[in-house]
Amino acid sequence: KYRIWQEIEVLACEAHAEMGKIGITREEAAWIREHADFNKDEVELEAVTNHDVIAFLTNMGEYIDKDVPEGEPKPSRWVHFGMTSSDLGDTALCYQLVQATDILIEDCRKLGEICKRRSFEERDTLCVGARRIHATHDLWHEFGSWAWELKRDYDRLKDARAKRGLWRHL
């Protein structure tokens, strides 16, 4: 979760620098990209703020500003600029759903291939208690039906993933 939060915050800084409207320079955005980090244990133990996003941003800001010379403006001032906690959390959740969908698609594809292969391997194997298909108890029918169902599931997941819109760059 925190790695995703970090990437979203860095991407937002880079987008602001590219648009050139709020004052962050490309050099500051590059500095933020290079120095952004956090310590998960410190974020989770933060009892002062009682707010997970603030605890995360405070910790990440310490890493970003650690090597900034004394008296120089702190680049971390641009992190989370114009955003709310919900902007960060909702965006991160959407990205996590995209990642989960990618995992499901790949696993569904692999399992479908296994079922298809096993169907051919077991074409002569009887299976007591298997679903009756044309009065037979053949194991290959079972594997074959699972393979077809997984193909339909795979197609539905791919279709849902294709509708991801703005996530194409992540």
Side-chain angles (χ1 to χ4, degrees), residues 19-159:
M19 292 186 312
K21 295 190 179 200
I22 66 167
I24 183 174
T25 64
R26 291 178 190 261
E27 292 77 21
E28 288 173 310
W31 178 279
I32 291 168
R33 162 82 53 203
E34 184 178 333
H35 293 86
D37 205 355
F38 61 91
N39 181 316
K40 179 183 166 206
D41 296 330
E42 291 175 11
V43 172
E44 291 177 350
L45 291 175
E46 176 61 51
V48 176
T49 62
N50 202 23
H51 193 285
D52 60 343
V53 174
I54 294 172
F56 169 77
L57 294 170
T58 301
N59 187 260
M60 190 170 86
E62 291 169 1
Y63 282 90
I64 292 169
D65 296 339
K66 182 174 61 173
D67 296 328
V68 175
E70 189 68 35
E72 292 291 320
K74 307 292 186 192
S76 68
R77 72 189 185 280
W78 300 113
V79 174
H80 207 68
F81 188 91
M83 293 174 63
T84 67
S85 297
S86 292
D87 293 332
L88 179 60
D90 293 350
T91 304
L93 178 60
C94 290
Y95 184 52
Q96 287 173 311
L97 291 171
V98 169
Q99 289 177 316
T101 302
D102 289 343
I103 292 167
L104 291 171
I105 287 170
E106 183 59 18
D107 287 354
C108 192
R109 183 191 64 75
K110 287 178 184 175
L111 186 56
E113 288 175 0
I114 290 168
C115 287
K116 181 179 176 182
R117 178 180 49 82
R118 295 291 294 155
S119 177
F120 287 107
E121 291 172 356
E122 301 297 340
R123 65 182 166 267
D124 296 324
T125 304
L126 295 178
C127 179
V128 176
R131 177 179 18 196
R132 286 183 180 231
I133 300 173
H134 303 295
T136 66
H137 290 283
D138 296 332
L139 189 55
W140 74 272
H141 278 117
E142 292 297 308
F143 280 115
S145 67
W146 295 336
W148 279 112
E149 184 57 39
L150 285 161
K151 171 66 170 113
R152 289 188 296 272
D153 295 339
Y154 173 82
D155 290 341
R156 286 190 292 263
L157 286 166
K158 289 285 283 185
D159 183 55

